[in-house]
């Protein structure tokens, strides 16, 4: 475990040094990453310029849900977002090199071309969360849930990314399918799930457990009724959902690695 | 200029074909009567652009799937907004849903997320030096290929998400053949404006060496000011007026408005044509500047 963490940090540091060779571009990229994601919150502000409530939720509440999911998603993207390149590593033969190195292939993929620009997104989501929290008037005895939901959300997103990455051992040519679940999950959790149709909400509660990233624990923090009337206990189920997803992801990754066949290039 | 796919000098009368291939007689007959070598060259490049991208079928299907998923997610948000504010900005709920799926449909052909041009790679590797000495305009050359790419992506990545949107939510359709024709023209102009912007971004690498920073700036401007994230018609006050005057509006908002019948067709197409001409003009000047700038480092 410690050895793996050392390898990961070493690889990350190496790639960050490489990225720093073009300081002007790096600054623009980090700023760009911050601003691209800030566009989503700009969209939320424009929506609330026209209406005081969206599907029963006010602006600070939506910003809270956006910020918590955003931090989880951005941290997961920073750690595991690069797994969506596995298909291209397989096609180019770069994955062969990773397999014969004395380090975990998963960590090598995760750290490959790590760029400090990914901090831009974490910063953006954290700023939104920091703006939202004092405006919510929440009961602070419920605030313990906030770090729990961010960590659970991080694990859930990393697991989705890992499963999507593992799927590329089969679908080498179609990495974009994974985007529907990874970035799609990031998009979905930006808004209260009451916006979406009932079947979709049940699907992201019981099939792809995105509802446990911020929606169910968020209802607890905000002390709100569940518009779909799902059991109250689900609000505390995020860590369990994260654990199950992590196990599934580990199994999927192993299964994917076993099926790996070099393209020979 | 031997065997490079039919690029012939201005004085050449005969089209040359790659070694080992006979002239495609059938498609040759299908060409319009003004079969000057220049047109034949760009038509050929258009077909090459189409065929090159048509190789990646699985990727296109995957892209269409992802566009559909995002269309559904964004549609719900717009439905929630229009349920809270019926008739906002002159759209009803059906218009808003249609707009949402059109934006997803435009991602492929309009290359909303940037790139799509091999040119930026060629600038970085220095291969652009060879492109610049070809006896044909670099910008038109790249445009012809890009239109081929856009045609292919329109078929595989625009039509399926729109049909999915129609099946899941129901969408409005243009009122008649004339409206469809206006929409077609608007899409082509939108692709040209998008190309002209991406061409300028790609050439910028001649000055800044690493163009990823410029690309991410361009991405921000395109996503926000094209109408991709939210319809520009609901942007408040001066921001809305500014957004609807900038070239990015010609990529998504204007074609969508032409489709929905919300815009005066002549004014909309004129707006797009004006920006297309201005940006292609800027591209010509930039190409000329690059010609004076390129330094070829031997080997």
């Amino acid at each position: 475990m410690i050895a793996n963490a050392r390898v990961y940090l070493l690889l990350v540091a190496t790639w960050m040094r490489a990225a720093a060779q073009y300081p002007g571009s790096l600054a623009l990229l980090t700023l760009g990453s911050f601003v691209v994601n800030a566009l989503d919150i700009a969209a939320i502000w424009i929506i609330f310029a026209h209406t005081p409530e969206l599907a029963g939720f006010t602006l600070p509440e939506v910003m809270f849900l956006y910020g918590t999911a955003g931090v989880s998603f951005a941290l997961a993207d920073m750690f595991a977002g690069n797994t969506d390149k596995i298909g291209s590593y397989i096609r180019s033969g770069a994955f062969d090199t990773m397999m014969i190195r004395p380090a975990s292939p998963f960590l090598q993929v995760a750290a490959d071309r790590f760029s400090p620009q990914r901090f831009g997104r974490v910063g953006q989501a954290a700023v939104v969360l920091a703006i939202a929290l004092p405006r919510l008037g929440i009961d602070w005895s419920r605030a313990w849930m906030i770090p729990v939901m961010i960590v659970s959300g991080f694990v859930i997103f990393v697991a989705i990314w890992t499963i999507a990455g593992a799927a590329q051992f089969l679908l080498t040519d179609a990495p974009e399918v994974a985007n529907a679940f990874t970035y799609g999950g990031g998009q979905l959790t930006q808004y209260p799930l009451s916006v979406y149709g009932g079947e979709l909400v049940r699907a992201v509660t019981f099939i792809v457990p995105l509802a446990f990233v911020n929606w169910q624990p968020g209802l607890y923090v905000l002390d709100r009724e569940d518009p779909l009337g799902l059991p109250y206990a689900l609000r505390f189920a995020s860590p369990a959902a994260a654990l199950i997803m992590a196990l599934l992801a580990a199994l999927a990754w192993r299964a994917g690695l076993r099926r790996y066949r070099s393209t020979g290039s | 200029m031997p065997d490079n796919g039919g690029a012939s000098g201005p004085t050449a009368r005969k089209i040359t074909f790659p070694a080992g291939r006979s002239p495609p007689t059938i498609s040759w007959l299908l060409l319009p009567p003004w079969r000057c070598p220049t047109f034949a060259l760009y038509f050929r490049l258009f077909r090459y652009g189409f065929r090159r991208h048509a190789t990646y079928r699985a990727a296109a299907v995957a892209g269409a799937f992802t566009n559909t998923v995002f269309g559904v997610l964004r549609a719900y948000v717009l439905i929630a907004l229009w349920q809270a504010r019926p008739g906002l900005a002159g759209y009803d709920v059906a218009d808003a849903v249609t707009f949402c799926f059109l934006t997803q449909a435009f991602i492929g052909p309009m290359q909303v997320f940037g790139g799509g041009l091999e040119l930026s790679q060629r600038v970085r590797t220095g291969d652009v030096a060879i492109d610049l000495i070809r006896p044909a305009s670099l910008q038109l050359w790249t445009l012809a290929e890009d239109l081929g790419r856009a045609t292919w992506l329109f078929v595989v990545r625009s039509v399926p998400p729109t049909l999915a949107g129609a099946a899941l939510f129901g969408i409005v359709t243009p009122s008649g053949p004339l409206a469809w024709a206006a929409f077609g023209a608007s899409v082509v102009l939108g692709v040209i404006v998008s190309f002209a912007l991406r061409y300028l971004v790609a050439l910028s690498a001649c000055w800044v060496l690493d163009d990823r920073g410029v690309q991410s700036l361009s991405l921000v401007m395109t996503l926000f000011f094209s109408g991709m994230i939210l319809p520009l018609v609901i942007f408040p006050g001066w921001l809305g007026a500014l957004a609807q005057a900038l070239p990015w509006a010609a990529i998504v908002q204007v074609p969508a408005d032409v489709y929905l019948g919300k815009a005066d067709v002549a004014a909309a197409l004129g707006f797009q044509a004006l920006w297309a001409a201005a940006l292609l003009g800027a591209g010509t000047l930039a190409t000329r500047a690059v010609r004076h700038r390129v330094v070829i480092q031997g080997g």
Side-chain angles (χ1 to χ4, degrees):
Chain A
M1 187 70 193
I2 293 171
N4 277 338
R6 257 197 72 227
V7 168
Y8 178 75
L9 291 177
L10 193 69
L11 288 169
V12 165
T14 311
W15 283 113
M16 277 172 69
R17 244 196 347 266
Q21 298 305 308
Y22 295 104
S25 200
L26 173 62
L28 266 179
L29 278 172
T30 310
L31 185 71
S33 159
F34 188 96
V35 178
V36 165
N37 295 297
L39 293 182
D40 288 328
I41 198 70
I44 290 174
W45 282 330
I46 290 176
I47 286 174
F48 277 94
H50 294 286
T51 173
E53 280 199 347
L54 189 73
F57 285 76
T58 62
L59 178 58
E61 289 174 329
V62 172
M63 282 172 66
F64 166 75
L65 292 172
Y66 172 95
T68 45
V71 171
S72 299
F73 182 81
L75 288 172
D77 184 12
M78 196 156 88
F79 178 63
N82 207 45
T83 51
D84 65 3
K85 296 213 181 66
I86 285 177
S88 72
Y89 294 149
I90 294 173
R91 279 196 304 275
S92 70
F95 201 77
D96 289 356
T97 328
M98 293 181 177
M99 291 287 274
I100 57 171
R101 283 193 194 129
S104 146
F106 179 80
L107 288 182
Q108 291 183 61
V109 171
D112 197 48
R113 303 207 166 268
F114 184 94
S115 162
Q117 74 179 91
R118 300 186 195 171
F119 292 117
R121 178 155 204 172
V122 183
Q124 187 269 334
V127 167
V128 174
L129 186 57
I131 296 173
L133 277 179
R135 280 155 220 259
L136 280 173
I138 51 167
D139 178 357
W140 288 101
S141 65
R142 289 167 180 265
W144 61 270
M145 183 59 102
I146 297 173
V148 173
M149 67 197 269
I150 288 178
V151 172
S152 307
F154 167 76
V155 174
I156 291 173
F157 278 129
V158 168
I160 291 176
W161 243 303
T162 308
I163 293 169
Q168 291 191 33
F169 288 107
L170 304 175
L171 303 165
T172 316
D173 292 328
E176 268 209 75
V177 170
N179 288 358
F181 297 96
T182 54
Y183 290 98
Q187 167 77 29
L188 177 104
T189 49
Q190 285 180 5
Y191 289 89
L193 293 192
S194 53
V195 163
Y196 306 104
E199 296 104 63
L200 184 57
V201 176
R202 279 188 199 92
V204 298
T205 306
F206 299 112
I207 301 174
V208 188
L210 287 164
F212 297 101
V213 170
N214 63 345
W215 172 244
Q216 287 293 347
L219 287 174
Y220 171 76
V221 174
L222 300 171
D223 197 12
R224 296 280 306 246
E225 292 272 308
D226 187 334
L228 264 85
L230 295 174
Y232 192 82
L234 286 180
R235 296 173 186 207
F236 305 99
S238 290
L243 198 66
I244 294 170
M245 284 300 283
L247 287 173
L248 287 177
L251 288 176
W253 177 258
R254 271 150 211 262
L257 263 193
R258 265 202 304 276
R259 290 191 61 121
Y260 171 65
R261 294 176 100 181
S262 170
T263 51
S265 41
Chain B
M1 219 54 213
D3 291 347
N4 67 344
S8 44
T11 51
R13 285 277 170 272
K14 207 170 140 264
I15 310 278
T16 53
F17 292 95
R21 281 192 56 193
S22 56
T25 41
I26 307 279
S27 63
W28 185 237
L29 288 172
L30 292 173
L31 280 178
W34 29 293
R35 21 161 154 171
C36 68
T38 318
F39 177 80
L41 164 67
Y42 291 118
F43 186 71
R44 176 174 287 258
L45 285 167
F46 169 82
R47 277 185 27 217
Y48 280 178
F50 184 94
R51 280 173 40 193
R52 177 186 304 164
H53 285 87
T55 322
Y56 307 106
R57 276 188 211 153
V61 173
F65 171 71
T66 305
N67 291 157
T68 308
V69 169
F70 272 80
V72 171
L73 296 182
R74 287 182 181 279
Y76 275 120
V77 174
L78 291 186
I79 290 171
L81 173 59
W82 259 270
Q83 273 171 353
R85 286 290 308 278
L88 177 63
Y91 285 25
D92 57 22
V93 175
D95 290 332
V97 168
T98 309
F99 185 93
C100 171
F101 280 96
L102 285 177
T103 60
Q104 293 298 318
F106 291 156
I107 287 178
M110 271 62 157
Q111 203 76 36
V112 172
F113 290 89
L117 301 180
E118 206 196 345
L119 184 65
S120 51
Q121 189 83 25
R122 293 181 71 83
V123 169
R124 220 170 298 137
T125 58
D127 290 341
V128 72
I130 295 158
D131 299 336
L132 284 168
I133 56 171
R134 288 207 171 105
S137 152
L138 177 61
Q139 184 168 231
L140 284 180
W141 180 293
T142 322
L143 173 62
E145 283 184 330
D146 197 57
L147 287 174
R149 175 200 61 78
T151 309
W152 159 252
L153 288 182
F154 187 84
V155 174
V156 290
R157 286 192 57 176
S158 301
V159 178
T162 316
L163 293 180
L168 291 169
F169 295 91
I171 63 171
V172 298
T173 47
S175 48
L178 253 170
W180 278 108
F183 172 62
S186 188
V187 167
V188 173
L189 284 168
V191 172
I192 294 176
V193 170
S194 141
F195 161 79
L197 286 165
R198 285 178 288 122
Y199 182 78
L200 287 171
V201 169
L203 281 194
S204 76
C206 294
W207 285 274
V208 295
L209 291 176
D210 184 13
D211 63 337
R212 285 179 305 171
V214 182
Q215 275 179 7
S216 72
L217 186 69
S218 162
L219 175 66
V220 169
M221 302 304 276
T222 313
L223 283 181
F224 196 62
F225 287 114
S226 67
M228 189 65 224
I229 290 198
L230 275 182
L232 300 181
V233 287
I234 68 166
F235 280 29
W238 62 269
L239 186 64
L242 175 71
Q244 295 192 49
L246 291 173
W248 293 281
I251 301 177
V252 173
Q253 179 73 43
V254 173
D257 271 343
V258 169
Y259 180 95
L260 293 170
K262 302 285 176 195
D264 174 44
V265 170
L269 296 183
F271 172 79
Q272 288 181 300
L274 211 64
W275 270 119
L279 290 166
L280 288 176
T284 310
L285 292 179
T287 315
R288 200 172 295 165
V290 166
R291 253 179 236 277
H292 291 287
R293 193 179 158 82
V294 164
V295 179
I296 300 166
Q297 310 247 11

